[in-house]
Structures are given as structure tokens and as C-alpha cells.
């Protein structure tokens, strides 16, 4: 059913009141799950993997400093627990001793001299070994994790192709090598009225001219013919807006370098659909079978001659 409009302030108020909520982004749409088991300890691993590199570096740095501050305060509970201090402020001595201990460096100048100091040092060394193992694993996974590196056109266009109105979206492989066994899909969703009243969200998988390639080396255009069997038959800019149309383009393939599957997608709202436009040519053919692909023009479109027909489709009287 069509969701009931609620203000952002009301969503936040309900989320705080429920004390169990989680925010999930799916393209342009944000889902706030309330009254659910929003967090588990094992989710920390996924959360850290999902951070961007600057965020991850900030998190690790903050955690490292916080742990050293904590252990410096613990050493300070017994002022004579550490021998060989420099004679400066005790907190700085204990903080830098904690830095050495957490990294299991141990320069030998400062060392624990009481039972309490040895106990705290043992706990910190164990914490340092655990922290080093976890961070090493996280950094390895973040570096080794494959990235699809597929770029999508900023808009979806609808224009005539071979005399038929056709929905088109352009995708490009930005990797320095080809993607293999690539699969392409366009999911189309909209609100449709029910006999009982109200609207219901329907989902359709659009039939493409091709939905699989053995090798995906550069850029290509995905095409869906809008005929009588298409859910887009008779669509207009006004009808797309009224039914709150959303299209999701997905690419799944295998990175041959690391032999791992990669996936990425991009969603488009009705605002991103352009009628009467087509993508400009980005391929230039040279002698010897060489093709130049201009990724700088991947998003560029051009107008086509367009005449609205009685069935609601648009058709060009001339097309390349």
C-alpha cells in the first residue's frame, strides 16, 4: 500500500521513543526500521567495513588514543607503579608508557615495578595483541575487497530506436581490465491503483535487448523496447510522476584478477527520466581495430525529433 506521509521530525520522534531503530539507505531512499533488534555486537565488524577510509582512519585513531588515555589513568591510580619516569608530569609519562606497552614495543626505560603495575601491563599487552590482530584483519579485508567500479549515466533516456520507443541507460566499466560473465538488470517499480481502493507498489523486471555479456570491457547502453507488453507502455512524464516511478539498474559480474564476484547498482526516480533524448556517440574507430571510448561524454545526451502519437508513445521521424 502507499505509505502515509509523515514529517521528518515525526519520524525522528518515533525512532527515539521506540529506542530500537536502524537507518538503511537504498539509493535515494532511506528506510528507518523501528521496533526492531537494530544492533548486535557482531554488527560492529560490518559497520567498520562499511566506513569510508577517512572515517575508518578517524575511528582507529580515536580508539587508539582513548585506550591509551584509559590505561594512563589506570597507571595513575598508583603513582609508583611505573619505574623510570622522566620526572615530568606523571600523566604524560604514563600515557607514553601505555603507547609503548599497547604496541608491545617496550624501549626498556620505563617498566612496571609493582604488582598492580604488572597486572595493568598484562591486561594492556593482551588488549594490544587483540587490537592489532583485529585491525590487521580489517585493513586486509578492506584492501582485498573487490570493487565493481562501474559508472552509470546520470539519467535514463526514452527515444526512438529502430522505429520503436526505447528506454536506454548507459553503463561503463572503469576498471583497467574487463569484467567477465556480466549480468545486467533494470527493475521498474511504481504505484498502481487497487480495485479495493488505494495504491499498491508493483515491481517489474524490464526485458532488455541483452542482459548478459561474456566480456564487459568498456561502456555500453542497456535498452528496453517499450511495446504493448512493457509496463512503460503509454508512459508520459506526468504519469511517471503521478505513480512515483523508481528504476534500479544493477550490474553483477566477476573480477578476473581476483576471481571474485562484484555487484553495484544505481537507482533513478521519475525526475531522472528524459523523454526525447538519446546518448551521444562515445566510440571512435581507428585503423587496426582500435576503439577509443570517451568516458567524459558518457552522460551527455542530445535531442531527437519527437512526435507524440495517439497511444501515448513518442516516436522520432528521423533517427541515426
Amino acid at each position: 500500500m502507499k505509505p502515509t506521509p509523515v514529517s521528518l521530525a515525526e519520524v525522528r520522534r518515533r525512532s527515539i521513543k521506540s529506542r530500537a531503530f536502524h537507518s538503511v539507505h537504498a539509493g535515494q531512499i532511506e528506510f528507518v526500521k523501528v521496533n526492531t533488534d537494530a544492533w548486535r555486537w557482531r554488527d560492529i565488524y560490518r559497520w567498520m567495513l562499511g566506513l569510508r577510509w577517512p572515517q575508518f582512519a578517524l575511528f582507529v585513531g580515536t580508539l587508539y588514543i582513548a585506550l591509551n588515555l584509559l590505561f594512563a589513568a589506570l597507571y595513575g591510580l598508583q603513582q609508583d607503579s611505573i619505574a623510570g619516569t622522566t620526572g615530568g608530569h606523571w600523566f604524560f609519562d604514563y600515557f607514553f608508557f601505555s603507547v609503548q606497552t599497547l604496541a608491545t614495543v617496550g624501549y626498556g626505560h620505563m617498566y612496571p615495578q609493582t604488582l598492580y603495575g604488572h597486572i595493568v601491563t598484562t591486561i594492556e599487552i593482551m588488549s594490544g595483541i587483540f587490537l592489532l590482530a583485529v585491525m590487521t584483519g580489517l585493513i586486509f579485508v578492506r584492501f582485498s575487497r573487490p570493487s565493481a567500479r562501474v559508472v552509470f549515466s546520470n539519467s535514463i533516456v526514452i527515444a526512438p530506436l529502430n522505429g520503436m520507443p526505447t528506454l536506454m541507460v548507459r553503463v561503463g566499466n572503469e576498471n583497467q581490465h574487463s569484467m567477465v560473465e556480466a549480468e545486467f538488470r533494470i527493475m521498474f517499480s511504481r504505484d498502481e491503483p487497487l480495485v479495493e481502493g488505494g495504491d499498491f507498489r508493483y515491481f517489474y523486471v524490464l526485458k532488455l535487448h541483452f542482459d548478459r555479456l561474456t566480456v564487459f570491457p568498456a561502456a555500453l547502453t542497456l535498452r528496453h523496447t517499450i511495446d504493448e507488453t512493457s509496463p512503460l507502455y503509454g508512459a508520459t512524464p506526468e504519469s511517471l510522476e503521478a505513480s512515483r516511478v523508481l528504476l534500479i539498474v544493477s550490474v553483477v559480474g566477476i573480477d578476473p584478477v581476483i576471481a571474485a564476484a562484484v555487484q553495484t547498482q544505481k537507482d533513478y526516480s521519475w525526475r531522472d527520466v528524459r523523454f526525447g533524448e538519446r546518448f551521444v556517440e562515445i566510440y571512435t574507430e581507428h585503423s587496426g581495430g582500435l576503439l577509443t571510448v570517451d568516458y567524459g561524454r558518457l552522460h551527455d545526451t542530445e535531442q531527437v525529433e519527437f512526435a507524440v502519437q495517439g497511444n501515448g508513445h513518442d516516436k522520432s521521424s528521423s533517427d541515426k
Side-chain angles (χ1 to χ4, degrees), residues 225-244:
T225 300
I226 304 177
D227 54 19
E228 290 81 358
T229 63
S230 170
L232 280 160
Y233 185 74
T236 63
E238 293 75 19
S239 67
L240 297 185
E241 179 181 1
S243 57
R244 301 189 306 127

Side-chain angles (χ1 to χ4, degrees), residues 5 10 22 42 97 102 144 156 210 222 244 251 271 274:
E10 179 64 17
H22 187 61
R42 292 182 62 88
F97 174 74
L102 192 65
S144 62
I156 289 181
F210 61 88
L222 304 178
R244 301 189 306 127
V251 178
R271 301 180 183 87
R274 299 181 180 179

Side-chain angles (χ1 to χ4, degrees), residues 9-306:
E10 179 64 17
V11 170
R12 291 175 177 173
R13 186 188 67 81
R14 293 181 182 179
S15 300
I16 295 174
K17 184 178 180 180
S18 67
R19 296 181 180 273
F21 66 94
H22 187 61
S23 176
V24 177
H25 285 270
Q28 302 178 31
I29 302 177
E30 179 182 3
F31 297 87
V32 179
K33 303 178 182 180
V34 298
N35 298 320
T36 182
D37 185 8
W39 187 264
R40 294 182 181 179
W41 284 109
R42 292 182 62 88
D43 292 336
I44 297 177
Y45 177 77
R46 295 185 179 89
W47 176 78
M48 287 190 289
L49 285 180
L51 294 175
R52 296 185 178 90
W53 275 109
Q55 295 173 325
F56 180 74
L58 179 62
F59 170 77
V60 173
T62 303
L63 177 62
Y64 186 76
I65 294 175
L67 280 175
N68 284 299
L69 290 173
L70 172 63
F71 280 103
L74 291 177
Y75 291 125
L77 294 179
Q78 189 180 87
Q79 293 289 323
D80 60 345
S81 61
I82 305 300
T85 56
T86 62
H89 194 281
W90 64 269
F91 189 82
F92 291 107
D93 283 336
Y94 293 160
F95 176 82
F96 289 112
F97 174 74
S98 174
V99 170
Q100 299 169 22
T101 305
L102 192 65
T104 65
V105 175
Y107 292 116
H109 178 67
M110 290 187 291
Y111 55 90
Q113 64 177 354
T114 66
L115 177 61
Y116 174 80
H118 282 290
I119 292 174
V120 176
T121 302
T122 301
I123 296 173
E124 185 169 14
I125 291 175
M126 293 177 62
S127 302
I129 294 174
F130 177 79
L131 181 65
L132 180 62
V134 172
M135 291 305 165
T136 301
L138 283 170
I139 293 173
F140 173 79
V141 172
R142 292 179 66 90
F143 269 109
S144 62
R145 183 173 51 188
S147 175
R149 292 201 64 193
V150 172
V151 59
F152 298 85
S153 58
N154 293 331
S155 59
I156 289 181
V157 299
I158 295 179
L161 179 69
N162 198 26
M164 291 292 294
T166 305
L167 179 142
M168 293 172 279
V169 59
R170 181 171 278 171
V171 295
N173 178 11
E174 290 188 311
N175 280 304
Q176 302 302 315
H177 51 270
S178 298
M179 181 186 295
V180 299
E181 297 300 335
E183 298 181 7
F184 309 94
R185 179 178 295 182
I186 300 180
M187 180 76 71
F188 172 80
S189 67
R190 67 182 174 193
D191 292 337
E192 296 182 14
L194 296 172
V195 176
E196 296 82 4
D199 295 328
F200 191 82
R201 194 73 174 176
Y202 282 86
F203 296 85
Y204 303 90
V205 177
L206 300 184
K207 183 179 179 181
L208 304 178
H209 289 188
F210 61 88
D211 58 9
R212 179 189 290 267
L213 283 179
T214 302
V215 179
F216 176 29
L220 53 85
T221 302
L222 304 178
R223 301 181 178 92
H224 163 73
T225 300
I226 304 177
D227 54 19
E228 290 81 358
T229 63
S230 170
L232 280 160
Y233 185 74
T236 63
E238 293 75 19
S239 67
L240 297 185
E241 179 181 1
S243 57
R244 301 189 306 127
V245 162
L246 182 69
L247 296 108
I248 303 175
V249 183
S250 172
V251 178
V252 180
I254 298 175
D255 187 327
V257 175
I258 58 177
V262 293
Q263 187 276 337
T264 186
Q265 72 280 328
K266 179 179 175 63
D267 64 308
Y268 300 86
S269 71
W270 56 268
R271 301 180 183 87
D272 302 314
V273 181
R274 299 181 180 179
F275 284 79
E277 297 184 24
R278 65 183 172 194
F279 294 109
V280 300
E281 183 59 61
I282 61 175
Y283 279 88
T284 303
E285 186 173 0
H286 305 275
S287 60
L290 177 66
L291 289 175
T292 301
V293 188
D294 187 357
Y295 277 70
R297 306 185 67 196
L298 188 138
H299 308 283
D300 295 348
T301 61
E302 59 186 4
Q303 294 286 334
V304 297
E305 295 182 19
F306 219 56

